Amino acid sequence: MSSPAPKSPEQSDKSRKYDRQIRLWGEHGQSLLESSTICLLNATALGCEVLKSLVLPGIGGFTIVDGNVVTEDDLGINFFLDASFLGQSKARACMQLLQELNTDVNGDFVDESVDWILSNRPAFFDTFDVVIASNLNEKALWGLSDRLWEANIPFIYCRSLGFFGSIRLQIKEHCVIESHPDNRQYDLRLEQPFPALQKHFESTEITSKVPWLLVLNKFLQVWRQKYGGHFPANYKQKSELKEMIRAAMTADEENYEEAIKAVNTALGGGNVPSSIKSIFQDNACTNLNKQSSPFWIITKALKEFVENDNNGLLPLPGVLPDMTADTEPYITLQNIYRQQALHDADNVYRKCQKYLKELGLPEDTISEKTVRLFCKEAAGLAVLRGTKISDENAKSSNILSFVDDLEIQGTLAEHYVALRAYERFVSECGNVPGECYVENDVKELKTVASKMLSDWGVHASISDDLIHEICRYGGSEIHSISAFIGGCVAQEVIKIVTKQYKPIDNTFLYNAITSETTTFKL
Amino acid sequence: MAADILSVLSGSPNPLTSLNSKRWNSLRHILERPGPFCKSDFTASAENLEALQTVLKILVIGAGGLGCELLKDLAMMGFGNLHVIDMDTIELSNLNRQFLFRRKDLGLSKAECAARFINERVPTCHVTSHFAKIQDFDESFYSQFHIIVCGLDSIVARRWINGMLISMLDYNEDGSVDPSTIIPLIDGGTEGFKGNARVILPGLTSCIECTLDLFPPQVTYPLCTIANTPRLPEHCIEYVKIIQWEKENPFSAPLDGDDPQHVAWVYERSLERANQYNISGITYRLVQGVIKNIIPAVASTNAVIAAACATEVFKLGTSCYDNMNNYMNFNDIEGIYTYTYPPEKSDTCLACSNTPQDLNVDDPNTTTLDDLIKILCESQRFQLKSPGLTTIIDGKNKTLYMSAVKSIEQQTRANLTMSLAELGLYDGASIMVSDVNMPTTIQLILKYHPNEVEMK
């Protein structure tokens, strides 16, 4: 089959500049990123490091809110300031030096404090895709948490204090289609071959030139005949199947070797994982309404397809791993999988159209392309439901399950409580613990922490060493700790905006002294 | 080591008066107040900041994604005297993460641009740039630094600097390392959303060579697949890259992945070949990726890994805390995950074991010199590129094979097909091996195991 000489597509300047990241989140991820606007509250070094790793990959725009002016202290921590800005608005200075990193990005600033915005312009936040904050006192943090929860705007609060850091994500609901699992399992349907595959199996002669899938299927059927139609489930049974294939080898056929290697991983495709089962049972899926997002409408269609049309199996992703074989038998097999995947996706798409009609929503709410992607990624769909930061003090909060234990000392849960006590100290005392006098503040911070724990009704306590270390820091922000947390936060923002990869759920802690991190759900 | 560092005097690029500036308030709390988690030999004092500013000399290798971050981080952590080496120039696709460069800098030296930016932005830090390869410098250059940090994308370069720092070690009579000859190596690496940071104390902890198997294997396709039975778009691109380009030589030049005309030619031919075999999925981006072996990269991962490295440099330089022990893996594909552990120092490490290692051979009568070279190139343990081999026979140096110098290659080529026995190499003979991966030659001892399975 000859075709006219193809012409190289023009590579746009942007496409070349962002090449190394588009290879990860694709053109569609990049365009979501480019249309996002991010708000940063308080131009700390940490906040600016977050923005740096967002401006570089090309978000649409950002706004910095900070009511302070640049001081000499700031120059030693924040890279996005220099001496020429001393005494001027910190929000504007950081905005200028950050925007300069990438002319595609719009920068803006407001030189007012977070407290002022909260009380005078509460609707200010509503237009942003994500709000990021650091260095708030407890009162401002709770006020902001309430406001952003109500406005349904994802909020990340991050801390960098001495050699400790933390990230807390507050998001009502977050749905991920492309979770990009690290070790993708191929879904090959060997146990329940669809008709076209079954026909192909029956009509193809097994030679040394065909893909291992056909070899494996042949011996799988032999094994099943011996064992009453069952499939090999345990190590012993799989080993026997492997031996069976090995015994049939006449030379060192590569496809037989590959079939033996694949025995352990080739089975089990198509089953609905428990994570997807719970998404199917989610209220948002079972009770569609006019406000339902495309994600939930497609999920409902998917559920109906799985339960009513496909024997309880997911739609076929249609992706085949490479297998040593001649070109023709491989491509033929690949096309059989791809055709079936299109067929399954088309069925799901028609169900989506039916639901859209029932809900009185326009047909183009959901495209065929989206449904195809959805079906291909069905086994990895993820839904994250978050909690409100200001609820952490409630008796029902998850925090109690982490601290209601005398063993918290020496764990990162202890650090979390200590960082929370630090914020309460700032709210109550109006200064930072250890700013001037370490010893006095050690006593005071200990009291604040004990009171906080007893208010939660738990008997745990914070070690004197940790209290002392926090006071020793005197509110210090250390650049490399901010840069570490800043990079992490930026990536979480990218995950939220592109709706790809799974974000943290929902609290991350970093101890740079020991190089330990942990994540827990509050 | 801290005392050691303080005893070394070097010219300060920064006036001491700046030590009183309020810009140091944050670092001062860490350096001038004692704390319960500090390293046992840490003394809280103003001298710590002074040492950072005026005494310590740090070398950053690489001014790319990690290097830009490292220079910023170290400058902001109070280090006053940095050097940076990089042989590359700035490209458009660097700008999504290498934040010290702008559009106007395209084509300029990365090392020079990065140094200029830091010097302008951070008046308390002076960066000296070297637009060069690491192999251009010798021991006398590397010995001036107290700590070396690597932000490299090349395994060859990592092995080379690792070998260099190990070759600079002195050993006491009992075989232990003389600690005053140790220059710590902090190494960072990233690929997409994954990365690692590690602390190497040459001779004491595991080194790059001890843990060669931690690097992901390179993807290669068998030549017969590429030529006869292509199944993936990559197979078609490799065919055009390896076979068709050679044959047609369309621009009378070697294939250059940065030349749009070259890439376009490969794209068009690859698409033709793919159509011929009904293979789908050829895109311009994929073609470029295969030609240049592009590794995806984002700003955030580089920021995280460089920061972890800078934190360790700071701990080493100030003794404020113990270093991490000693290798951290990072991955933020699903949530954020890290794992820190100490890989074991290998007793049979080619670089840091300080004893000649055995090279096991089944039968000297059937093993040719070419077979031996294949072992050195292909085995997981050696992974050499184009080793040169010499030995001593009857007290005289004899070059067995060397590909680097053309005349020697011609003189020694005939040895390749000779067996080890024919070459006069006996059981227990020493072979000296050199390679681009190593700054110095290493000694291997031939061990024959006729009629036995090769043992490790």
Side-chain angles (χ1 to χ4, degrees):
Chain A
M1 196 177 68
S2 78
S3 56
K7 273 279 164 277
S8 279
E10 279 293 313
Q11 282 260 292
S12 76
D13 185 76
K14 260 193 185 176
S15 165
R16 287 194 292 141
K17 181 164 95 173
Y18 297 131
D19 177 80
R20 298 302 185 268
Q21 67 202 39
I22 289 173
R23 289 172 191 277
L24 293 165
W25 52 67
E27 306 271 1
H28 58 299
Q30 183 63 28
S31 74
L32 283 170
L33 193 65
E34 286 176 21
S35 57
S36 67
T37 52
I38 309 296
C39 177
L40 173 70
L41 305 178
N42 289 340
T44 56
L46 170 55
C48 290
E49 291 298 309
V50 177
L51 283 184
K52 169 180 131 289
S53 295
L54 290 173
V55 170
L56 286 166
I59 49 169
F62 66 93
T63 300
I64 301 180
V65 176
D66 195 311
N68 293 307
V69 294
V70 179
T71 66
E72 227 181 316
D73 293 52
D74 296 326
L75 302 183
I77 321 164
N78 195 332
F79 186 75
F80 297 96
L81 287 174
D82 67 31
S84 69
F85 293 103
L86 280 171
Q88 299 180 28
S89 156
K90 187 148 84 170
R92 194 186 64 196
C94 292
M95 185 277 282
Q96 276 182 15
L97 291 187
L98 279 161
Q99 200 202 2
E100 185 239 345
L101 295 174
N102 188 347
T103 47
D104 297 339
V105 178
N106 295 310
D108 199 357
F109 74 97
V110 177
D111 50 359
E112 298 284 356
S113 72
V114 176
D115 289 332
W116 188 90
I117 301 255
L118 263 175
S119 27
N120 294 287
R121 289 175 64 190
F124 167 82
F125 304 106
D126 297 3
T127 58
F128 295 105
D129 292 289
V130 183
V131 173
I132 303 153
S134 64
N135 201 25
L136 295 172
N137 63 50
E138 194 178 52
K139 204 169 140 261
L141 174 58
W142 289 0
L144 200 62
S145 158
D146 286 336
R147 179 70 198 94
L148 294 173
W149 185 263
E150 192 189 314
N152 196 16
I153 293 173
F155 172 43
I156 297 180
Y157 183 63
C158 44
R159 302 174 178 90
S160 168
L161 177 67
F163 272 59
F164 305 141
S166 75
I167 304 169
R168 168 69 156 97
L169 170 64
Q170 168 181 308
I171 195 166
K172 263 191 182 162
E173 175 190 292
H174 183 68
C175 303
V176 183
I177 302 175
E178 293 166 89
S179 55
H180 300 275
D182 222 355
N183 296 306
R184 190 181 288 271
Q185 288 286 320
Y186 288 100
D187 176 355
L188 301 169
R189 290 304 149 90
L190 276 170
E191 294 99 318
Q192 282 126 318
F194 43 93
L197 182 61
Q198 184 60 38
K199 204 173 143 214
H200 184 66
F201 281 153
E202 284 163 9
S203 62
T204 310
E205 192 197 339
I206 306 301
T207 67
S208 64
K209 308 292 186 194
V210 301
W212 61 253
L213 189 79
L214 294 145
V215 177
L216 179 55
N217 179 64
K218 176 180 161 180
F219 290 97
L220 187 62
Q221 300 318 321
V222 177
W223 192 94
R224 290 182 65 203
Q225 275 191 344
K226 196 173 156 192
Y227 291 102
H230 288 289
F231 288 95
N234 54 40
Y235 176 79
K236 195 176 154 231
Q237 292 170 341
K238 285 182 179 171
S239 299
E240 196 186 334
L241 174 56
K242 288 183 196 174
E243 278 317 308
M244 215 176 238
I245 303 172
R246 190 169 297 286
M249 284 171 74
T250 50
D252 287 342
E253 292 100 337
E254 265 186 271
N255 54 346
Y256 278 62
E257 283 290 354
E258 288 180 2
I260 292 167
K261 275 193 204 140
V263 167
N264 288 336
T265 53
L267 300 176
N271 295 321
V272 181
S274 60
S275 55
I276 305 303
K277 279 183 190 144
S278 54
I279 291 176
F280 283 166
Q281 281 152 16
D282 197 297
N283 260 340
C285 173
T286 49
N287 301 318
L288 291 186
N289 59 52
K290 254 184 128 54
Q291 275 71 47
S292 292
S293 66
F295 180 92
W296 289 113
I297 297 171
I298 307 174
T299 301
K300 173 92 186 246
L302 187 74
K303 178 176 188 251
E304 193 192 330
F305 170 78
V306 169
E307 289 171 358
N308 299 348
D309 300 0
N310 211 35
N311 260 329
L313 296 173
L314 291 171
L316 191 75
V319 182
L320 210 58
D322 185 32
M323 309 178 191
T324 302
D326 274 0
T327 305
E328 196 275 329
Y330 178 80
I331 299 293
T332 303
L333 187 65
Q334 191 180 45
N335 282 334
I336 290 170
Y337 274 80
R338 287 183 177 175
Q339 282 306 320
Q340 186 62 35
L342 285 177
H343 184 264
D344 288 356
D346 188 53
N347 188 330
V348 177
Y349 177 68
R350 276 183 277 115
K351 290 187 166 57
C352 291
Q353 290 304 315
K354 181 188 76 184
Y355 289 129
L356 288 174
K357 208 168 183 178
E358 281 173 21
L359 296 167
L361 293 168
E363 265 181 37
D364 61 0
T365 308
I366 293 166
S367 74
E368 215 169 338
K369 202 173 146 199
T370 307
V371 176
R372 280 184 195 163
L373 178 69
F374 206 92
C375 290
K376 187 175 152 202
E377 303 288 340
L381 299 176
V383 173
L384 192 150
R385 286 190 196 284
T387 58
K388 195 160 74 160
I389 295 174
S390 60
D391 279 347
E392 281 175 25
N393 267 17
K395 290 275 180 219
S396 59
S397 165
N398 281 332
I399 198 167
L400 299 183
S401 59
F402 292 98
V403 297
D404 191 14
D405 180 348
L406 294 172
E407 303 295 310
I408 69 163
Q409 290 196 6
T411 70
L412 287 172
E414 183 192 16
H415 285 67
Y416 187 75
V417 178
L419 290 168
R420 289 281 310 273
Y422 171 91
E423 268 139 26
R424 181 164 295 180
F425 183 107
V426 177
S427 255
E428 287 179 359
C429 307
N431 69 303
V432 166
E435 205 171 355
C436 307
Y437 306 105
V438 175
E439 294 308 326
N440 280 0
D441 288 351
V442 165
K443 274 186 222 131
E444 187 62 37
L445 183 59
K446 210 173 153 55
T447 312
V448 171
S450 305
K451 170 114 193 341
M452 203 165 81
L453 286 163
S454 72
D455 283 352
W456 290 341
V458 293
H459 301 291
S461 67
I462 306 296
S463 77
D464 289 351
D465 280 354
L466 185 57
I467 294 281
H468 189 272
E469 182 75 358
I470 293 223
C471 287
R472 170 172 102 100
Y473 293 151
S476 287
E477 191 180 352
I478 300 300
H479 188 86
S480 67
I481 311 307
S482 293
F484 185 100
I485 297 290
C488 290
V489 171
Q491 192 55 38
E492 295 308 298
V493 172
I494 290 169
K495 289 176 186 176
I496 291 166
V497 167
T498 61
K499 299 184 164 55
Q500 296 183 39
Y501 307 94
K502 289 189 208 164
I504 55 163
D505 187 18
N506 48 27
T507 305
F508 173 80
L509 284 170
Y510 175 45
N511 177 355
I513 300 175
T514 54
S515 177
E516 283 174 293
T517 68
T518 194
T519 304
F520 43 73
K521 178 156 188 164
L522 294 182
Chain B
M1 210 192 66
D4 221 44
I5 286 164
L6 285 173
S7 70
V8 182
L9 287 172
S10 73
S12 156
N14 315 305
L16 273 177
T17 50
S18 71
L19 288 173
N20 298 319
S21 160
K22 278 172 75 183
R23 68 157 52 229
W24 304 120
N25 281 355
S26 269
L27 281 175
R28 278 223 157 100
H29 287 159
I30 301 284
L31 297 174
E32 299 177 12
R33 289 172 167 182
F37 301 118
C38 290
K39 205 173 161 182
S40 52
D41 64 357
F42 174 71
T43 314
S45 116
E47 281 173 26
N48 293 319
L49 180 60
E50 198 179 323
L52 284 181
Q53 272 287 289
T54 64
V55 180
L56 285 168
K57 208 167 173 184
I58 314 291
L59 174 65
V60 176
I61 300 180
L66 283 167
C68 284
E69 297 277 350
L70 283 166
L71 290 169
K72 175 204 67 160
D73 291 344
L74 295 171
M76 299 306 291
M77 297 291 277
F79 289 91
N81 193 351
L82 306 176
H83 282 238
V84 61
I85 307 181
D86 199 308
M87 61 184 280
D88 281 341
T89 53
I90 298 158
E91 292 174 29
L92 182 58
S93 64
N94 299 147
L95 300 186
N96 79 326
R97 61 195 187 284
Q98 300 177 18
F99 65 96
L100 301 177
F101 312 139
R102 302 290 173 265
R103 238 162 225 284
K104 63 173 170 47
D105 302 325
L106 295 181
L108 301 179
S109 150
K110 287 187 178 180
E112 288 168 9
C113 261
R116 196 178 315 126
F117 196 107
I118 297 287
N119 290 339
E120 278 172 21
R121 179 67 58 87
V122 190
T124 56
C125 179
H126 183 78
V127 186
T128 308
S129 62
H130 305 275
F131 182 22
K133 292 199 289 243
I134 55 170
Q135 290 86 352
D136 295 341
F137 299 96
D138 60 12
E139 189 178 328
S140 65
F141 173 79
Y142 291 108
S143 64
Q144 68 180 303
F145 299 104
H146 299 101
I147 304 166
I148 295 177
V149 208
C150 282
L152 289 162
D153 57 5
S154 140
I155 298 173
V156 176
R158 275 198 189 88
R159 290 175 76 177
W160 192 92
I161 188 68
N162 180 68
M164 169 57 78
L165 296 183
I166 286 162
S167 75
M168 287 158 64
L169 294 174
D170 283 340
Y171 291 86
N172 299 318
E173 275 177 18
D174 64 355
S176 62
V177 180
D178 173 357
S180 69
T181 60
I182 295 175
I183 299 176
L185 178 68
I186 316 291
D187 179 59
T190 67
E191 181 173 342
F193 301 128
K194 298 178 189 173
N196 64 78
R198 68 191 293 189
V199 178
I200 296 169
L201 302 176
L204 297 182
T205 66
S206 61
C207 74
I208 299 279
E209 207 75 27
C210 291
T211 55
L212 268 191
D213 56 337
L214 292 178
F215 294 105
Q218 274 231 290
V219 182
T220 52
Y221 305 103
L223 202 62
C224 60
T225 297
I226 296 169
N228 305 318
T229 59
R231 299 174 298 272
L232 304 180
E234 288 87 344
H235 295 153
C236 302
I237 302 166
E238 284 284 348
Y239 176 82
V240 178
K241 175 185 159 184
I242 296 172
I243 296 167
Q244 218 169 336
W245 186 277
E246 198 91 322
K247 216 161 54 187
E248 299 185 27
N249 198 1
F251 299 93
S252 310
L255 177 57
D256 176 0
D258 293 318
D259 184 330
Q261 275 189 301
H262 288 196
V263 181
W265 193 88
V266 176
Y267 169 77
E268 286 159 21
R269 297 304 171 291
S270 303
L271 200 51
E272 266 173 27
R273 186 169 169 84
N275 284 338
Q276 195 187 326
Y277 284 96
N278 289 317
I279 295 168
S280 57
I282 297 266
T283 64
Y284 192 86
R285 203 179 297 285
L286 181 68
V287 170
Q288 245 186 338
V290 172
I291 296 178
K292 290 185 69 180
N293 190 21
I294 290 174
I295 294 164
V298 286
S300 59
T301 314
N302 282 310
V304 170
I305 294 302
C309 290
T311 298
E312 298 307 314
V313 177
F314 183 81
K315 289 181 188 172
L316 273 169
T318 63
S319 282
C320 65
Y321 297 111
D322 281 313
N323 277 104
M324 71 152 94
N325 186 23
N326 54 41
Y327 188 110
M328 183 192 75
N329 259 318
F330 173 87
N331 181 339
D332 62 2
I333 291 174
E334 183 175 346
I336 306 169
Y337 170 84
T338 69
Y339 179 61
T340 307
Y341 75 107
E344 265 182 61
K345 186 173 183 311
S346 164
D347 294 337
T348 57
C349 176
L350 296 175
C352 75
S353 62
N354 194 32
T355 40
Q357 292 299 313
D358 291 347
L359 177 55
N360 294 310
V361 171
D362 290 346
D363 184 349
N365 295 305
T366 56
T367 306
T368 62
L369 188 64
D370 198 33
D371 294 333
L372 199 69
I373 290 174
K374 276 214 180 82
I375 294 174
L376 292 172
C377 292
E378 289 167 11
S379 86
Q380 181 78 33
R381 185 172 170 214
F382 298 104
Q383 299 185 38
L384 300 183
K385 245 190 160 133
S386 53
L389 278 63
T390 60
T391 189
I392 297 170
I393 290 179
D394 300 332
K396 278 191 222 151
N397 280 321
K398 178 182 175 178
T399 302
L400 293 167
Y401 183 71
M402 196 152 289
S403 63
V405 185
K406 207 171 178 190
S407 58
I408 303 180
E409 199 278 333
Q410 282 168 351
Q411 282 168 31
T412 55
R413 194 183 296 166
N415 289 345
L416 289 176
T417 51
M418 288 169 75
S419 75
L420 301 185
E422 285 169 332
L423 287 164
L425 294 165
Y426 51 90
D427 193 17
S430 281
I431 296 188
M432 306 304 293
V433 183
S434 61
D435 190 68
V436 288
N437 279 298
M438 308 179 300
T440 53
T441 56
I442 54 165
Q443 188 186 0
L444 296 174
I445 310 288
L446 284 175
K447 281 275 150 67
Y448 295 156
H449 304 273
N451 309 320
E452 271 180 47
V453 181
E454 192 189 332
M455 305 206 295
K456 276 226 160 162

